[in-house]
Amino acid sequence: MPLVEGGTLLVPPSDRVLSPITGWTRAHWEAMADRLLDGLLPYASPKFAQYRLPGRSSHSGEWSDGLEGFARSFLVAAFRIAGSEGQVGPALVERYASGLAAGTDPRHPEHWPPITDRGQPMVEAASVAVALHESRVWLWDQLDERVREQVVAWLADFVGAVVNDSNWRLFQVIVEEFLASVGGPHRRGEIDAGLARLDDWYRGGGWYTDGDGRKFDYYNGWALHLYPVLWARIAGERAAPGTVARHRARLGEFLGVHQHFFGADGAPVHQGRSLTYRFAAAAPLWAGALADATPLPPGRTRRLASGALKHFAERGVPDERGLLSLGWYRPFLPVTQSYSGPASPYWAGKAFLGLLLPADHPVWTAPEEPAPIDTGDVSLTLPAPGWLLHGTAADGIVRLVNHGTDRLPPPPAEAEDSPHYTKFAYSSATAPQTPRGPDNHIALLAADGPSRRGRIHPLYAEGRTAASWHAPVGSRITTTSVVHGPWEVRIHRVEASAGTVVRMGGWALADDTALLDTECGSGWALVRRADGLTTVLATLIGPADSTSAVDRAQGRNAFGEHSATPLVTVPHPGGTLLLATLVVLTADPAVHGDPYALRTGTRATPTAGGGVEICFPDGTESLLAPLP
């Protein structure tokens, strides 16, 4: 049954008894999986070995992109087939069997590119291996011996190959473990080395960095935690019990945190790369249930996962053709990378992992339970990535304050800033301006443009505060954030030469219409969307001769065609300048209903000892020691 027709969402009937919050059940997940698979059919090659979707090619080229279409959709198909114990239309099994036969036959015109050192087919081979394992009874076991030999021969090129030192190490683990399970060539040493490398990247609290450096994002969940669970399922008794137990414990700790990364409307916090995978952010939730490693009640697991899937479905994902576009809600290439091709978004298929759990499993039969954001405000300190997370039940928004991840390789290497990593804050209701914008950033303005944040040097993350420093050319900026409810106070100590202009930016709000209300005054600026979402940036400590403005843009935000960001600029007197700003993002009428109170209700006062005393509008006070 199609979920989208003429721009209207069509779904099975809501079940408000079983799922009082989302109304969605297993039937909705099955319908969405079927819609995604059916939408691909017009773009299949004659023997279904490749899916050549419309859109920009990846840097690997159309041949690889066609394989990507097969492999990533095969995940959805395998979970759908296995989850129904083969009770799907025979055409679904047949077309993936046909694609395997043609794709792994080097003489066939639809054959797949070979697996080579650091090549994109490595990524897709892991999806093929996972899908073959999970659908083994209905697909692998039914293939002709010749086809099985072809598949093994194609996958076997992974053995001894050079792999990128990142989550790609786990692709080798998965593929070689599958080969071991079918009597194919493999090297146990390579499997063990990949799992050991994962241990090298563990930073505590459930967090892995995706390779050396400070690379924290959704890959922690949809790759670095997910693949160990899938590996254990393939390995069975070959998996060392201690290794499996270690992975399960880390996953459980992570899920205790990950549950807070979804707004009440189901939207994941918009941070990191490969965001076009969208609801793949739900995959680790299901993985925890699948591995019996989750601290979450089953009804909450389903509420969070269904909330994410429903969030996108209600906003036109998939589109009217049944396709996942390169974007977020609509096509939007700045959330992609050069490796993203038109079939890349189908890594979102990992979200359908929950279909492997039988229909009578508690995650499908227990009544939905509220997420934490549904019932109260949330405040978490995440020392490993250097983040503060604060969410508010009144508007359901989750905000992530960043003082620790920049996705740069270890020093001395440097790289281009990414707006999805180096902003001071991200949220479930906003996206950063891309490719570069003034939002959630402090910049020194010069003739060659605004300074960048560059490498982030974390100092601490404790309680409701976190701090870091960065070093624009010829200067240094140390920043401390204090959060409470919807409010954040950013305190900057800026070391720069006299005459430098310092620009601070608040949240970027976006909408598909240009109807974004703005106001500016002495040292403050406000942007409000028609639905009430409001952001304010106001100077609390700083020179009296500050100026305010709103930066408007078009076509630079994943959340809407039109966007606006409040700005405040101040002149630097030379030496060290202390600045404090109030940065607010809220959709709570009780907070934004009075713009004057919103921008004046928070106070920050320097203390005699060099610290700062902060008082929030509800009377909550914080006293910061002298800034580091």
Side-chain angles (χ1 to χ4, degrees), residues 158-312:
F158 224 132
V159 181
V162 178
V163 182
N164 289 330
D165 197 30
S166 64
N167 66 88
W168 284 41
R169 296 293 294 268
L170 296 178
F171 303 151
Q172 187 169 42
V173 168
I174 290 288
V175 170
E176 296 200 34
E177 196 64 70
F178 175 76
L179 287 168
S181 76
V182 297
H186 64 282
R187 295 180 184 174
R188 182 57 54 185
E190 290 184 342
I191 296 172
D192 292 343
L195 295 171
R197 193 70 177 115
L198 183 65
D199 289 339
D200 293 340
W201 296 327
Y202 190 62
R203 297 293 182 264
W207 290 96
Y208 294 99
T209 174
D210 187 14
D212 293 334
R214 301 191 58 80
K215 302 173 181 177
F216 301 101
D217 52 30
Y218 284 114
Y219 277 82
N220 188 65
W222 64 41
L224 299 167
H225 278 295
L226 177 62
Y227 286 111
V229 170
L230 298 174
W231 163 76
R233 289 173 62 83
I234 298 171
E237 293 183 355
R238 294 186 302 277
T243 301
V244 174
R246 186 166 64 252
H247 293 159
R248 290 177 68 252
R250 292 172 181 174
L251 173 58
E253 190 169 6
F254 170 66
L255 291 176
V257 170
H258 187 58
Q259 64 177 321
H260 300 292
F261 275 69
F262 300 87
D265 63 355
V269 171
H270 196 88
Q271 180 272 342
R273 68 190 175 99
S274 299
L275 289 171
T276 194
Y277 302 158
R278 299 174 173 102
F279 41 81
L285 298 167
W286 296 122
L290 203 64
D292 193 21
T294 180
L296 309 183
R300 187 183 302 168
T301 292
R302 190 174 77 254
R303 180 268 178 271
L304 290 166
S306 292
L309 187 65
K310 182 180 181 182
H311 177 84
F312 286 100

Side-chain angles (χ1 to χ4, degrees), residues 129 149 292 567 623:
E149 290 174 355
D292 193 21
L567 305 176
L623 179 62

